[in-house]
Amino acid sequence: MPCYRLDGLTPVVDPTAYVHPSAVLIGDVIIGPRCYVGPLASLRGDFGRIVLEEGANLQDTCVMHGFPGGDTVVERNGHIGHGAVLHGCRIGEDALIGMNAVVMDGARVAPRCIVAATAFVKAGFECAAQSLVMGSPAQVKRSLGEQELAWKQRGTAEYQHLAQRCMNSMVECLPLNQAEPERQRMQDTGVRPKGPAPA
């Protein structure tokens, strides 16, 4: 992966974490055990510290950055959806940030919250644990139920398993010219989108 020491600070990646080779790590970045960092993610520890705690995932094209002297942190089992931007904020344990959401400086998303896709979480925002946060600017809409939390936790567990799968079997290769007859599919784990099934 592109990994850069800056001003004497070298990124740290736990040996049980998977970081895709196209992700970029710069300077003061700390990635904990069993984390997953997806393709084209950018973790820029060139001003403040960037931390992914144990079991967190940061998916494709996500950005983590912050101001000098600050920390941008995803706590244990945090789940950051495709294209999200985290800037100088703290994402609580077992929380989910939806696809293309933006969480700004000084915001604190409490443990076990879900921030909806495309939400804009203003600087300094705070909320209670297990809240559903939606909108632009984002607001707490209601408390989350146990089924919703279980749905989130199952998805996070799949990304923890994906980190292992990638370390064990992902290899760079050339594409085939056409699909094989009776091409196998990836194993169906049973994880589905929340809400009605797509048509």
Side-chain angles (χ1 to χ4, degrees):
M1 81 199 80
C3 184
Y4 303 94
R5 179 183 299 114
L6 181 64
D7 296 339
L9 281 167
T10 303
V12 176
V13 178
D14 186 274
T16 63
Y18 175 78
V19 179
H20 189 274
S22 66
V24 179
L25 281 54
I26 300 171
D28 194 4
V29 174
I30 302 170
I31 298 175
R34 302 186 309 116
C35 288
Y36 172 89
V37 177
L40 304 174
S42 175
L43 295 87
R44 283 182 49 206
D46 47 14
F47 291 147
R49 176 167 290 172
I50 306 300
V51 179
L52 289 181
E53 293 185 358
E54 181 177 1
N57 69 74
L58 186 77
Q59 298 170 22
D60 323 49
T61 73
C62 288
V63 174
M64 289 183 71
H65 193 236
F67 282 108
D71 293 352
T72 305
V73 179
V74 178
E75 294 181 5
R76 188 173 181 272
N77 295 329
H79 189 109
I80 313 302
H82 314 289
V85 176
L86 307 180
H87 202 280
C89 57
R90 178 173 285 269
I91 308 304
E93 181 173 342
D94 214 15
L96 181 151
I97 306 301
M99 296 181 228
N100 288 314
V102 175
V103 185
M104 295 298 294
D105 301 277
R108 299 179 69 88
V109 174
R112 301 178 309 285
C113 288
I114 293 178
V115 174
T118 75
F120 178 77
V121 179
K122 295 192 302 187
F125 174 91
E126 293 192 20
C127 61
Q130 213 158 318
S131 295
L132 175 64
V133 178
M134 302 173 70
S136 183
Q139 298 177 346
V140 173
K141 296 300 182 181
R142 60 177 172 80
S143 295
L144 291 170
E146 292 303 317
Q147 286 187 325
E148 292 167 307
L149 185 57
W151 171 82
K152 180 270 167 201
Q153 291 169 337
R154 188 166 181 195
T156 301
E158 283 302 316
Y159 268 91
Q160 292 164 350
H161 181 57
L162 178 60
Q164 293 177 327
R165 288 172 54 208
C166 290
M167 286 190 292
N168 293 337
S169 70
M170 185 182 286
V171 293
E172 190 170 0
C173 64
L174 294 173
L176 301 173
N177 293 327
Q178 60 184 19
E180 314 94 309
E182 299 184 27
R183 180 180 173 91
Q184 71 178 30
R185 300 181 70 91
M186 292 289 178
Q187 181 180 354
D188 185 349
T189 63
V191 174
R192 295 291 183 268
K194 192 173 173 297

